[in-house]
Amino acid sequence: MSYGSSSLASGARTTRRPVEFGRTHVVRPKGRHQVTIVWLHGLGDNGSSWSQILETLPLPNIKWICPTAPTRPVAVFGGFPCTAWFDVGELSEEGPDDVEGMDASAAHIANLLSTEPVDIKVGVGGFSMGAAMALYSAACCTYGRFGNGNPYPVNISAVVGLSGWLPCSRSLRSKVESSQDAIRRAASLPVLMCHGRGDDVVLYKHGEKSAEILRSSGYRNLTFKPYNGLGHYTVPQEMDDVCKWFTAWLGLDGCRS
């Protein structure tokens, strides 16, 4: 489907060209609209490919918004430009973080969700680098602010990450414990992480470690599902598990048969 890795610091940079996001694809709900999910593709992919997958899922009450990341030079590809939510350089959740790039993408995601009706629950999910962005958005929602300190404007109700990792993992626990509101939000936010044991792009151990960090930071409603033999792609069993999880945690009307 697409590749993912960890992130690269932008510390030496003082300026960055304006971020231009690609086309956003929307899958309208086939039933009563209860939930809107922004779903994020992996490195080098686009919103169209995932919109085609999501349209086939038996979740008639979800509206899917599938944006396309900006095209930018990516360190892990030697500076070759491709679609990426932020710059990436290492295959480890312990690598340096491009907070500026992640904040720009997290703000774009929040803007897409902020226009939804007030009675609609909203969430974010993704694959590989998209999963990393989903988890970063979850952290911003928990803190109530972006990495740059600006207020985070959306109340996320569910987060899904497939074959991904947690950026900025080193500072998560201290930031959550910095306020009672953050502790409460972390404890109540449902998170699903899925990872294949055969993943040779974002290694299984990095997904597992990220889940451990989230749990130790107070995310009590976190589910981590391993899949034997699964590489860096998705399979029907995994998507079935995602459907069941969304239906249970978001109180959806139920799956279509």
Side-chain angles (χ1 to χ4, degrees):
M1 176 65 64
S2 55
Y3 291 91
S5 68
S6 194
S7 40
L8 183 72
S10 57
R13 299 175 189 154
T14 56
T15 61
R16 179 179 287 207
R17 289 182 298 174
V19 176
E20 295 184 8
F21 290 87
R23 181 180 173 186
T24 296
H25 301 261
V26 177
V27 179
R28 302 289 177 184
K30 299 175 177 65
R32 182 169 70 94
H33 184 195
Q34 294 177 273
V35 176
T36 296
I37 304 292
V38 168
W39 190 272
L40 307 165
H41 62 77
L43 182 59
D45 204 356
N46 59 67
S48 174
S49 62
W50 271 99
S51 70
Q52 295 173 47
I53 295 172
L54 298 169
E55 191 169 21
T56 68
L57 298 183
L59 294 170
N61 307 113
I62 293 183
K63 172 185 174 182
W64 303 95
I65 301 176
C66 303
T68 298
T71 297
R72 68 177 84 211
V74 178
V76 75
F77 292 152
F80 185 82
C82 68
T83 54
W85 300 109
F86 50 91
D87 197 5
V88 295
E90 298 180 22
L91 293 171
S92 168
E93 81 285 349
E94 297 177 352
D97 295 298
D98 175 16
V99 175
E100 182 184 354
M102 287 188 287
D103 274 351
S105 291
H108 183 66
I109 295 161
N111 287 339
L112 291 171
L113 292 173
S114 65
T115 59
E116 292 300 293
V118 294
D119 60 333
I120 299 298
K121 294 178 182 178
V122 300
V124 60
F127 174 80
S128 191
M129 177 185 269
M133 266 313 308
L135 294 172
Y136 183 76
S137 295
C140 292
C141 179
T142 300
Y143 311 148
R145 59 188 183 275
F146 295 99
N148 60 18
N150 292 337
Y152 189 80
V154 179
N155 182 27
I156 293 174
S157 296
V159 179
V160 172
L162 310 181
S163 306
W165 74 96
L166 174 68
C168 301
S169 60
R170 291 177 295 275
S171 60
L172 180 67
R173 185 169 183 172
S174 63
K175 287 186 176 181
V176 170
E177 293 176 348
S178 66
S179 78
Q180 288 300 313
D181 283 344
I183 292 171
R184 175 183 52 79
R185 284 191 288 261
S188 63
L189 179 61
V191 180
L192 172 65
M193 295 179 67
C194 302
H195 215 112
R197 294 185 185 273
D199 195 329
D200 60 352
V201 178
V202 180
L203 300 182
Y204 174 81
K205 66 179 182 180
H206 296 315
E208 187 177 44
K209 178 70 178 298
S210 294
E212 291 172 358
I213 292 169
L214 284 162
R215 283 200 186 100
S216 68
S217 301
Y219 288 80
R220 298 177 185 171
N221 290 327
L222 183 143
T223 302
F224 181 79
K225 294 188 70 69
Y227 296 84
N228 291 331
L230 179 64
H232 198 65
Y233 48 86
T234 189
V235 289
Q237 178 190 347
E238 184 180 41
M239 297 312 296
D240 286 346
D241 290 339
V242 170
C243 290
K244 292 173 184 175
W245 186 87
F246 271 132
T247 299
W249 278 104
L250 295 177
L252 300 180
D253 288 345
C255 292
R256 288 183 287 115
S257 57

